[in-house]
Amino acid sequence: MMLYTCQASSNLHPLILIPGNGGNQLEAKLTSDYKPSSLYCDKWNPVRKDKEGWFRLWFDPSVLLAPFTKCFAERMTLYYHPDLDDFRNAPGVQTRVPHFGSTQSLLYLDPYLKHITAYMAPLVESLEQIGYVNGKTLFGAPYDFRYGLAAEGHPSHVGSKFLQDLKDLIEKASTSNGGKPVILLSHSLGGLFALQLLNRNPSTWRQKYIKHFIALSAPWGGTVEEMLTFASGNSLEVPLVEPLQVREEQRSSESNLWLMPNPKLFGSQKPLVITPNATYSAYDVAQFLSDIGFPQGVYPYESRILPLTEKLVAPGVPVTCIIGSGVSTPETLFYGENGFDEQPEIVYGDGDGTVNMLSLLALESLWSNEKNQTLKVIKIRGVSHTLILKNDAALEEIIGEISGINSIAEYYVGYRIK
């Protein structure tokens, strides 16, 4: 662990952490409408609940055991309702996000398994070393990461409520710190939510409340790996989990649709998925969804998600992107005669192991002509998508950036390469 110089708390701008997909705890409660698919999934599971029946849905180690993996998947599954034009939980499953405003649910995905489920704990410890205090100058904005946002004209009840809660937290954090504007520090998917928040509020609000936006490992243009997730399921390196057992749940996630490769960035000429019968580029995602056996995803993708991905608008506040590089990242997927139920052969390219370099650097190309936008990119070689929250070199860069912001340092458009 690196040691950092503590700054006087009066000099610190309040800081809000926004986690990525799967980066905070979720809790669930089963009602009388819940219909288990098997005895294993009945209401007795899990045994550990609070007096009102709430239990930790994510992360719970029972997902590692095959009979319970199915229970986990059916409770995490979302359903798109055409009549509502929105996503909802499975019938009989209520969910909530614990400890909004605090860093508590971001530290460890399971507080009883700290060693193997640490998420933002090393980052928070590093922030505390320079004087940040949870609940005073340091805040967390966990959310239900299964849900995403939708393009204008389409409801997105859960995602929109999170943006409002985040806006309220920003204003509260600023007010309780003498009116100092806030530093937003996001990881992965959290960066997409943060940018949407900034662009959905007027410039006068942004100038008053936002000091700086730091995005770690943000998948601005989606990922090729997401196509693998939809086609064949993705164990996400969780041991003992069979990808096909969680595929339907992963397909149901609104935020996963949001992370499909952006056509504007990936283009129409680059093949992302190749099968004996078809080749798919980022412009063919709708056809791809239909061909893998998920036609119900086509309308939400085309109407709600695709227009949203076309608007990566410069927010007019200073932005720093800190990214990993030099890590093998899926770039093209090859499927054989056995179809999508088998894992593909993969050709790898540059990125952070999850997000392609093209996506990580998207803002640099999209905002190149934005005269009123300050953008800084810091590349750290050999640091993966999640290791960026734990690696000493990465933490040193992150803390150095935050210390510089608090010292009113000068920022520039360009790169720093480690």
Side-chain angles (χ1 to χ4, degrees):
M1 175 60 65
M2 305 295 294
L3 296 177
Y4 307 101
T5 302
C6 184
Q7 295 180 280
S9 59
S10 59
N11 295 331
L12 296 174
H13 286 267
L15 189 148
I16 296 176
L17 296 170
I18 309 169
N21 198 346
N24 56 258
Q25 298 170 27
L26 286 181
E27 294 179 347
K29 180 180 180 180
L30 305 178
T31 72
S32 57
D33 292 328
Y34 176 67
K35 306 300 181 186
S37 60
S38 71
L39 181 61
Y40 288 109
C41 302
D42 212 340
K43 290 183 182 179
W44 65 267
N45 171 36
V47 175
R48 182 186 290 156
K49 304 182 184 71
D50 70 12
K51 61 183 180 181
E52 295 178 347
W54 289 96
F55 60 92
R56 190 183 318 104
L57 179 60
W58 177 260
F59 173 78
D60 185 88
S62 68
V63 70
L64 304 177
L65 304 174
F68 301 112
T69 303
K70 184 176 182 181
C71 309
F72 161 80
E74 68 182 34
R75 294 168 181 180
M76 285 282 285
T77 296
L78 297 183
Y79 292 87
Y80 176 70
H81 293 257
D83 54 330
L84 301 174
D85 186 24
D86 206 352
F87 288 79
R88 291 289 188 269
N89 282 349
V93 180
Q94 297 179 0
T95 51
R96 70 182 184 186
V97 179
H99 312 300
F100 184 83
S102 167
T103 62
Q104 186 173 341
S105 76
L106 317 179
L107 302 177
Y108 309 97
L109 301 183
D110 184 338
Y112 298 102
L113 295 171
K114 291 183 177 180
H115 180 68
I116 61 173
T117 68
Y119 179 60
M120 283 191 170
L123 174 59
V124 168
E125 184 178 340
S126 298
L127 290 167
E128 289 172 345
Q129 286 186 22
I130 63 169
Y132 277 97
V133 178
N134 183 39
K136 294 184 178 180
T137 51
L138 181 62
F139 306 88
Y143 57 99
D144 192 332
F145 45 80
R146 302 171 301 160
Y147 289 89
L149 293 169
E152 187 176 357
H154 296 270
S156 184
H157 176 73
V158 175
S160 297
K161 183 180 185 304
F162 168 63
L163 288 194
Q164 184 60 53
D165 290 344
L166 178 55
K167 181 181 180 181
D168 293 344
L169 180 62
I170 289 169
E171 294 176 1
K172 179 182 176 182
S174 175
T175 301
S176 65
N177 283 274
K180 285 190 180 72
V182 171
I183 299 170
L184 297 179
L185 178 56
S186 67
H187 178 240
S188 191
L189 176 66
L192 275 63
F193 276 99
L195 184 60
Q196 285 291 322
L197 172 75
L198 296 177
N199 286 326
R200 294 183 185 204
N201 283 282
S203 59
T204 51
W205 182 89
R206 299 194 297 264
Q207 297 304 320
K208 179 178 181 179
Y209 288 109
I210 305 299
K211 174 69 174 175
H212 206 104
F213 171 28
I214 304 174
L216 311 178
S217 308
W220 302 116
T223 76
V224 174
E225 184 177 80
E226 204 60 54
M227 298 184 81
L228 185 154
T229 298
F230 273 83
S232 310
N234 194 334
S235 67
L236 302 174
E237 299 184 355
V238 177
L240 307 180
V241 171
E242 167 57 45
L244 292 181
Q245 286 190 307
V246 293
R247 181 172 64 179
E248 291 305 311
E249 176 267 320
Q250 291 172 334
R251 288 177 173 180
S252 80
S253 168
E254 182 182 19
S255 61
N256 280 348
L257 271 180
W258 196 4
L259 296 174
M260 281 294 202
N262 186 323
K264 185 176 181 180
L265 291 166
F266 282 84
S268 61
Q269 300 304 310
K270 182 174 177 54
L272 305 181
V273 178
I274 298 174
T275 75
N277 302 313
T279 298
Y280 305 91
S281 74
Y283 276 86
D284 303 315
V285 168
Q287 185 63 51
F288 170 77
L289 291 172
S290 180
D291 290 351
I292 64 173
F294 188 58
Q296 60 268 41
V298 173
Y299 179 76
Y301 171 75
E302 291 186 324
S303 63
R304 297 167 58 86
I305 303 299
L306 199 53
L308 189 68
T309 66
E310 295 172 351
K311 295 185 178 181
L312 292 170
V313 181
V317 300
V319 176
T320 298
C321 296
I322 303 180
I323 63 175
S325 68
V327 182
S328 295
T329 305
E331 194 160 282
T332 309
L333 312 177
F334 290 86
Y335 284 93
E337 296 292 346
N338 293 329
F340 297 110
D341 286 351
E342 291 190 1
Q343 293 291 305
E345 291 186 16
I346 301 173
V347 171
Y348 293 90
D350 194 11
D352 66 7
T354 298
V355 184
N356 308 90
M357 188 55 63
L358 181 71
S359 180
L360 291 167
L361 294 178
L363 302 189
E364 198 259 346
S365 59
L366 292 173
W367 297 354
S368 59
N369 296 321
E370 295 287 344
K371 296 180 179 179
N372 297 320
Q373 179 60 56
T374 302
L375 174 65
K376 180 178 178 181
V377 178
I378 301 173
K379 280 185 179 182
I380 310 172
R381 289 193 183 95
V383 173
S384 71
H385 190 70
T386 53
L387 198 60
I388 202 167
L389 299 172
K390 305 170 186 178
N391 175 271
D392 282 347
L395 291 174
E396 186 175 4
E397 286 290 348
I398 296 166
I399 298 303
E401 189 70 5
I402 293 167
S403 297
I405 294 166
N406 282 314
S407 300
I408 322 178
E410 292 294 323
Y411 290 87
Y412 58 90
V413 179
Y415 295 93
R416 287 179 63 191
I417 303 178
K418 293 288 287 185

